[in-house]
Amino acid sequence: MEKEKLYQKISKEILENIGGLENIQGAAHCATRLRIVLKDLSLAKTDKLENIDLVKGCFIAGSQLQLIFGAGTVNEVYKVFAKEAKLENMSLSDVKDIATNKENPLQKVIKALSDVFVEIIPAILAAAILLGVTGFLANFEAVKTNQTLYAINRLSNLASVGIFAVLPMVVVYSATKRFGGRAILGIVVGAIMLDGSLANAYSIGSSGFNPEILDLFGLKIQMVGFQGGIIVALMMGYIVAQLDKFFEKKIPSVIKLLVSPMLTVFISTFLLFTIVGPIGRELSNYITGGLVWVSTEFGLIGYMLFAGLQQIIVITGLHHILNAAEAQLIATTGRNFLNPLMSVALISQGGAVLGYYLLHHKEKKVTEIALPSFVSILFGISEPAIFGVNLKYKFPLIAGCIAGAVAGAFVYIFKLSSLGFGATAIPGITIVDPSNNGYINYIIVHLIGLILGIIFCYTFGKTKTKKAIKEENNETKNTSEIKIENNENANLNEISLISPIKGEVKDISESSDETFASKVMGDGILVNPDQEIFVAPADATVELVFPTKHAIGLSLKDGSQILMHCGINTVSMNGEGFEVYVEEGQEVKQGDKLIKMDLEKVKQAGHSTQTLMIVNELPDGRKVEVNPDSKTPIMIKKI
């Protein structure tokens, strides 16, 4: 079948399975994915979309339907699809604007909360790890009696408590920045919340608590600090940002530098002590008290319900709102019992993925999706497993939920909790509260969830009436356009690929982009670059230079296809900050310059500079070996 006819067939099948032309609001593509914004996502038949020719995966991310075709192919498919859907003039930024406008107020709030805590999580993790380590070491007599060991442990303890002492200030800073205000003003207001002249909030209710009371036009204001006031801090971050933007627009330029920040800080302080603080304090008490009440009144049943249903919450996207609850728990109680429950819920879904793999391990497509998805689970990312396997086939999701509920019961029995948030599965052990044999019990509950997930899924699959599994698409359809005939070098024993740039090299499974991390696009590496010039990893032919200059496709001498993707979501920069030194069809040698990426511009645009090198197509009889620690981190060898 000619390419044009194949792409027309694919486009028509996509339209048939997304509700037709009238259900499309916009469409565009990045280096690997066709992105479609639909009026009604429920009309998208993902099970049928995944089995369309050349489609390597199908995901719903926020309000976008994303179909993975791979580098080069997606360009050609989009050209035909855009004509069929009458969307030729639409850009990726247009699609993102439409997707954002489609979000309801709750979705926007959840996304904003998620953005606020993304920047804070590294500090919380670092402090929690140190807190766990120092708490564990303090149990040993040798540490108490040896001056050097005691000094190290004391310094570790000091480093661990710092972030928690100023957490409200950090939250105001991050929230102000997220909502478009000047972050430094957020820090100022956060410092006011924790000012030493105020009565300490943790002393409320204790004997001798006698705060200063101001009389403001008859309004009595208690001068009490906001230690542990995470909810208040979130509210204040939003208010500081809105006031800052308002005064920056309204005040004349001549006096703006002096007057605008002064008014922002003063009015924010006034609102903090008169309206926002009291309301936020009560809301914080309700949230913390409610969570503690559920854990005490419902006990084991409450833990089981949460762990059993938590991954269902992930599917809806509502799980991001739990970051605020976790932060408030830590600030108020010093412990976070939600984190281990989330972790066992996640690992149980991983067990279900393995159970499904055991049932269908002979199916190539199942292997390609299930095993990389399980690896992602181990590092706390469940979306590839949930959307790629468990939700798609339903019974693995149910099996994982049941296994998670059982593991959640043991979290309650073992009194497991964490000292931070943001890390689950394997990384999560670093922030476990070591008391009550925390480390050992953490491993035990995860093994329970994992093993039961496998058993339940395998059992359900065996007893369920087996449905015919569709055969793999005709291999020649998938490879005809990239197969190189009569290539005198096609029988090379191996090809070594160097890193395209100096920097920290890791396995692609650690990528912050879940689709790349799941390896659905192929195996490879990621590099956190130290330089700006990217070079050819091997002798190759340039097959694709993406219009926005952030990605290049290479064809190696044996017919293997390589994708270099510079930065995460940098397609939205529309080429700004990128310079390309090659053109399509050009022969390059290993070490030749390909792309320059302005690292500072990418960071200022709010994107990661993480670069990916992926082997996304292999000819028959070849395999990929990845070793990030090697000077040649990728090897393509004969089988």
Side-chain angles (χ1 to χ4, degrees), residues 549-598:
K549 305 177 185 178
H550 75 294
I552 281 185
L554 302 174
S555 176
L556 303 185
K557 291 182 178 180
D558 67 342
S560 301
Q561 302 290 302
I562 307 298
L563 172 67
M564 284 181 53
H565 194 286
C566 301
I568 301 297
N569 291 325
T570 45
V571 63
S572 62
M573 296 179 68
N574 293 316
E576 186 179 351
F578 292 89
E579 184 177 353
V580 177
Y581 301 107
V582 294
E583 58 186 22
E584 291 179 5
Q586 181 177 334
E587 300 286 336
V588 294
K589 296 291 184 182
Q590 188 178 72
D592 285 354
K593 292 194 299 183
L594 297 178
I595 303 177
K596 179 180 179 182
M597 176 170 67
D598 189 322

Side-chain angles (χ1 to χ4, degrees), residues 212-229:
E212 178 187 2
I213 297 178
L214 300 182
D215 190 331
L216 182 67
F217 303 116
L219 177 66
K220 305 298 182 183
I221 302 174
Q222 281 195 337
M223 301 304 289
V224 180
F226 294 90
Q227 291 79 8

Side-chain angles (χ1 to χ4, degrees), residues 111-129 159-160 162-179 183 186-187 190 229-235 237-238 320 322-328 330-331 419-423 431:
K111 186 179 185 304
L113 284 174
S114 175
D115 293 342
V116 168
F117 285 99
V118 160
E119 192 165 357
I120 296 173
I121 283 175
I124 296 290
L125 286 176
I129 291 168
S160 69
I163 182 65
F164 299 114
V166 297
L167 190 54
M169 182 169 69
V170 176
V171 172
V172 180
Y173 153 80
S174 185
T176 303
K177 182 178 178 182
R178 166 58 182 81
F179 293 116
I187 291 177
I230 305 304
I231 303 302
V232 176
L234 282 168
M235 296 166 70
Y238 178 79
H320 292 299
L322 293 172
N323 284 338
E326 289 182 278
Q328 189 63 59
I330 291 169
L419 301 171
F421 63 93
I431 60 172

Side-chain angles (χ1 to χ4, degrees), residues 25 107 117 236 301 350 394 467 538 553 566 622:
Q25 283 196 299
Q107 289 174 318
F117 285 99
M236 288 307 306
I301 300 300
K394 296 182 178 62
K467 295 181 180 179
C566 301
R622 310 290 280 180

Side-chain angles (χ1 to χ4, degrees), residues 282-298:
E282 284 301 309
L283 186 58
S284 299
N285 291 338
Y286 278 119
I287 290 173
T288 307
L291 289 170
V292 173
W293 180 80
V294 168
S295 68
T296 53
E297 293 297 318
F298 287 88

Side-chain angles (χ1 to χ4, degrees), residues 305-317 319 341-350 377 380-383 385-387 390-391 397 400-401 404 424:
L305 284 172
F306 186 89
L309 298 176
Q310 193 268 338
Q311 286 295 301
I312 302 294
I313 298 173
V314 170
I315 295 172
T316 68
H319 62 295
L341 290 173
M342 295 178 189
S343 192
V344 295
L346 174 136
I347 202 68
S348 298
Q349 294 296 330
I377 286 274
I381 300 170
S382 66
E383 281 82 354
I386 292 292
F387 293 108
N390 295 6
L391 182 60
L397 179 67
C401 288
T424 51

Side-chain angles (χ1 to χ4, degrees), residues 16-329:
E16 288 173 5
N17 291 291
I18 61 174
L21 282 172
E22 60 275 11
N23 195 36
I24 299 177
Q25 283 196 299
H29 72 99
C30 59
T32 58
R33 296 168 234 179
L34 175 63
R35 300 168 181 246
I36 308 172
V37 180
L38 302 178
K39 296 176 184 176
D40 185 355
L41 278 170
S42 66
L43 297 179
K45 302 173 183 176
T46 54
D47 54 338
K48 293 184 178 180
L49 289 167
E50 286 181 337
N51 289 299
I52 293 175
D53 282 348
L54 305 185
V55 173
K56 297 180 179 180
C58 174
F59 297 93
I60 292 176
S63 56
Q64 287 186 32
L65 172 69
Q66 299 186 10
L67 300 174
I68 302 170
F69 285 96
T73 304
V74 71
N75 301 53
E76 302 302 319
V77 171
Y78 174 74
K79 288 178 185 176
V80 177
F81 178 78
K83 289 179 183 178
E84 295 284 335
K86 299 178 175 59
L87 299 166
E88 293 96 326
N89 297 321
M90 184 160 284
S91 69
L92 186 62
S93 60
D94 293 332
V95 169
K96 288 188 175 181
D97 289 342
I98 293 171
T100 301
N101 291 334
K102 273 178 64 68
E103 292 179 345
N104 60 45
L106 178 60
Q107 289 174 318
K108 291 178 180 178
V109 169
I110 290 168
K111 186 179 185 304
L113 284 174
S114 175
D115 293 342
V116 168
F117 285 99
V118 160
E119 192 165 357
I120 296 173
I121 283 175
I124 296 290
L125 286 176
I129 291 168
L130 285 169
L131 191 60
V133 170
T134 189
F136 176 74
L137 293 177
N139 295 317
F140 295 95
E141 193 65 30
V143 176
K144 297 177 182 177
T145 56
N146 184 286
Q147 290 185 342
T148 300
L149 292 177
Y150 176 81
I152 292 173
N153 202 42
R154 179 70 180 89
L155 290 172
S156 298
N157 180 261
L158 184 63
S160 69
V161 299
I163 182 65
F164 299 114
V166 297
L167 190 54
M169 182 169 69
V170 176
V171 172
V172 180
Y173 153 80
S174 185
T176 303
K177 182 178 178 182
R178 166 58 182 81
F179 293 116
R182 284 176 286 185
I184 187 63
L185 298 181
I187 291 177
V188 172
V189 173
I192 292 168
M193 291 175 64
L194 305 174
D195 189 272
S197 66
L198 301 172
N200 194 302
Y202 291 130
S203 300
I204 294 176
S206 62
S207 59
F209 179 73
N210 187 27
E212 178 187 2
I213 297 178
L214 300 182
D215 190 331
L216 182 67
F217 303 116
L219 177 66
K220 305 298 182 183
I221 302 174
Q222 281 195 337
M223 301 304 289
V224 180
F226 294 90
Q227 291 79 8
I230 305 304
I231 303 302
V232 176
L234 282 168
M235 296 166 70
M236 288 307 306
Y238 178 79
I239 287 170
V240 171
Q242 299 309 311
L243 288 173
D244 186 32
K245 289 188 289 185
F246 175 79
F247 290 126
E248 282 294 292
K249 286 181 181 178
K250 299 297 182 180
I251 294 176
S253 300
V254 179
I255 58 172
K256 184 183 294 183
L257 181 62
L258 294 174
V259 178
S260 174
M262 178 193 70
L263 288 175
T264 297
V265 171
F266 177 75
I267 295 175
S268 296
T269 304
F270 177 82
L271 293 174
L272 171 65
F273 286 97
T274 57
I275 300 174
V276 179
I279 292 174
R281 207 189 297 274
E282 284 301 309
L283 186 58
S284 299
N285 291 338
Y286 278 119
I287 290 173
T288 307
L291 289 170
V292 173
W293 180 80
V294 168
S295 68
T296 53
E297 293 297 318
F298 287 88
L300 185 141
I301 300 300
Y303 274 59
M304 291 181 71
L305 284 172
F306 186 89
L309 298 176
Q310 193 268 338
Q311 286 295 301
I312 302 294
I313 298 173
V314 170
I315 295 172
T316 68
L318 293 173
H319 62 295
H320 292 299
I321 205 168
L322 293 172
N323 284 338
E326 289 182 278
Q328 189 63 59
L329 267 178

